[in-house]
Amino acid sequence: MSEGVFHGSVCRARSLQGLTDSTARFASARPLSVRHQHPDRIRQTQPSAASLCISAIRYSSSSSKRWQSRQGRDKFAREAKVQGLKSRAAFKLLEINEKYKIFKQGQTVVDLGYAPGSWSQVAVDRTSPRGRVVGIDIIPAQPPKGVSTIQGNFLSRSVQEEVKNFLRDPERGRPRQQPSLLSVEAEAEALAEQELGYIDMERRADLLPTPLQGDDRLQAESIRRGKDDADERMVDVVLSDMSAPWEQTTGFWKRSLSNPYFRMMNTSGMDFRDHAGSMDLCGAALSFAFDTLRTGGHFICKFYQGSEEKALEARLKALFSKVHREKPESSRAESKEAYFVALRRKGNAAQRDVVMGDQ
């Protein structure tokens, strides 16, 4: 697709090739004419490619102005800017984490559909100092500090294998450990004193159903870890904030790395289309979680509400001990989006119940 390039206020293009199909349809639906004054008569001529391009850009800018106006009134958008967060979506994950205590120090987190990176920012902050966060997105975006990223279509098997290859090295993507002034015993004591939420206590109870003490408990934990390692389950938390973006129709002249995210819409405005697309993406994320998530790990995915969400919830319950639905306060009331928060992956779930579901 050729690009229209601005020079001053003129969009120079040889032909309609610089416009997308949708722009061309818009232009044909609203034929334009250029009127030239003449001493004897007013002469009408056919519109040029430049005039069509300028008109299309003016048309698309009206929705951008509405979006900017809404962002200016949004307290979460303003707060995200003040705190240096990539977007207001960070507050959704912060609310979920405040309630369920998802993150711990040193965890491995995979963020599917990470652009522009606000969820990854939260994950890096909550898993520091030794945590690692890996983001995957089809859209090119500037990765947040401390995040390793892979650009590609997550639905591709080759991209998923690339992610797994990256994760196989337990030290890859982790920040280098700084020399500590504390002794090993002091560090262990400091970690033991960290406050545990009720989710963590339930998680431990689920992983160790019998009251094991001392060496028996350590041995059971070691066996579980060994089984996860053998099955290449190396991830503690899988996040999915994926949405199927529209094809790009404007903004080809912009060269900023982060602009593609902001110019590609996440929803089509058609409820069933958005719902069906989100179910496919959630299913792909769940399949990835089945392959890579450790026993006791957590999974969060965004979905658009509709008729198929019950089937997805049943698949989640087959793999996780607890499944909750959340509509964070920072999620706009008019939006159909919601989140499944799945806690404590089971170690004995059958693949047919999770990946295929009850069809």
Side-chain angles (χ1 to χ4, degrees):
M1 187 183 296
S2 61
E3 300 181 1
V5 181
F6 266 121
H7 290 280
S9 60
V10 180
C11 181
R12 301 199 311 194
R14 294 181 180 178
S15 65
L16 288 179
Q17 291 179 349
L19 303 174
T20 61
D21 293 340
S22 59
T23 304
R25 287 196 298 270
F26 165 76
S28 63
R30 298 182 58 185
L32 303 175
S33 62
V34 182
R35 302 172 67 89
H36 298 275
Q37 296 293 337
H38 192 273
D40 300 324
R41 66 185 184 279
I42 295 178
R43 179 169 54 88
Q44 289 193 349
T45 62
Q46 292 297 321
S48 66
S51 65
L52 285 174
C53 184
I54 293 172
S55 176
I57 293 166
R58 287 174 179 169
Y59 173 76
S60 64
S61 67
S62 61
S63 61
S64 299
K65 289 179 180 178
R66 289 196 300 270
W67 180 84
Q68 291 173 354
S69 176
R70 184 179 68 176
Q71 290 293 95
R73 297 191 303 269
D74 190 309
K75 66 177 183 180
F76 292 107
R78 295 197 304 270
E79 186 63 22
K81 189 173 183 180
V82 169
Q83 295 189 23
L85 298 170
K86 293 283 188 176
S87 77
R88 68 191 300 283
F91 294 104
K92 302 173 188 178
L93 185 58
L94 286 169
E95 286 183 54
I96 293 172
N97 184 62
E98 180 68 22
K99 185 172 183 179
Y100 297 106
K101 302 293 187 293
I102 301 295
F103 300 112
K104 293 297 176 187
Q105 292 182 3
Q107 286 178 326
T108 294
V109 180
V110 175
D111 186 3
L112 306 177
Y114 82 93
S118 57
W119 276 30
S120 292
Q121 285 179 302
V122 173
V124 167
D125 180 70
R126 293 299 188 265
T127 61
S128 63
R130 284 289 292 159
R132 64 170 172 169
V133 180
V134 182
I136 301 95
D137 208 302
I138 194 172
I139 301 172
Q142 183 68 44
K145 183 179 180 181
V147 180
S148 303
T149 60
I150 297 174
Q151 184 187 348
N153 185 353
F154 175 73
L155 299 181
S156 167
R157 283 289 181 184
S158 61
V159 173
Q160 293 186 27
E161 284 302 317
E162 186 68 27
V163 177
K164 293 175 184 177
N165 288 335
F166 183 94
L167 294 169
R168 283 189 179 101
D169 182 351
E171 294 302 314
R172 191 176 182 185
R174 294 189 191 276
R176 293 180 179 178
Q177 192 166 9
Q178 300 296 325
S180 176
L181 298 177
L182 296 175
S183 65
V184 175
E185 293 79 11
E187 287 183 341
E189 186 176 335
L191 290 173
E193 290 176 354
Q194 288 183 353
E195 182 180 358
L196 296 177
Y198 82 95
I199 294 296
D200 303 284
M201 291 186 285
E202 284 188 340
R203 174 179 176 179
R204 289 187 175 188
D206 182 70
L207 295 177
L208 301 171
T210 58
L212 300 178
Q213 299 294 330
D215 293 340
D216 291 339
R217 180 172 181 173
L218 292 175
Q219 185 179 3
E221 180 74 9
S222 177
I223 292 173
R224 181 182 68 80
R225 283 279 180 179
K227 187 176 186 306
D228 285 341
D229 292 341
D231 294 336
E232 294 190 331
R233 298 175 187 170
M234 65 294 284
V235 180
D236 298 293
V237 180
V238 173
L239 308 173
S240 174
D241 196 30
M242 291 189 290
S243 293
W246 285 25
E247 294 183 5
Q248 183 180 344
T249 58
T250 63
F252 292 101
W253 59 89
K254 296 182 180 179
R255 300 300 181 190
S256 170
L257 191 60
S258 295
N259 269 323
Y261 172 82
F262 295 104
R263 70 183 178 224
M264 296 177 77
M265 296 182 63
N266 288 330
T267 57
S268 66
M270 295 179 284
D271 290 346
F272 178 78
R273 176 180 175 180
D274 295 334
H275 166 67
S278 73
M279 291 296 102
D280 291 340
L281 293 173
C282 286
L286 180 58
S287 177
F288 177 80
F290 181 87
D291 292 338
T292 63
L293 199 61
R294 291 186 184 276
T295 303
H298 306 317
F299 175 75
I300 302 174
C301 68
K302 176 175 75 177
F303 68 98
Y304 291 99
Q305 300 171 54
S307 58
E308 297 180 22
E309 64 188 67
K310 291 284 187 182
L312 176 62
E313 185 175 12
R315 293 165 62 185
L316 288 167
K317 288 180 177 179
L319 183 60
F320 296 92
S321 299
K322 296 285 185 181
V323 178
H324 304 273
R325 291 169 180 251
E326 289 294 330
K327 175 78 171 175
E329 180 187 353
S330 49
S331 178
R332 292 190 174 92
E334 66 271 17
S335 174
K336 290 281 188 180
E337 73 175 11
Y339 294 86
F340 278 124
V341 182
L343 305 172
R344 305 191 311 279
R345 183 229 166 98
K346 301 174 184 176
N348 58 351
Q351 184 175 13
R352 64 179 179 276
D353 297 330
V354 177
V355 179
M356 300 302 296
D358 250 345
Q359 302 297 332

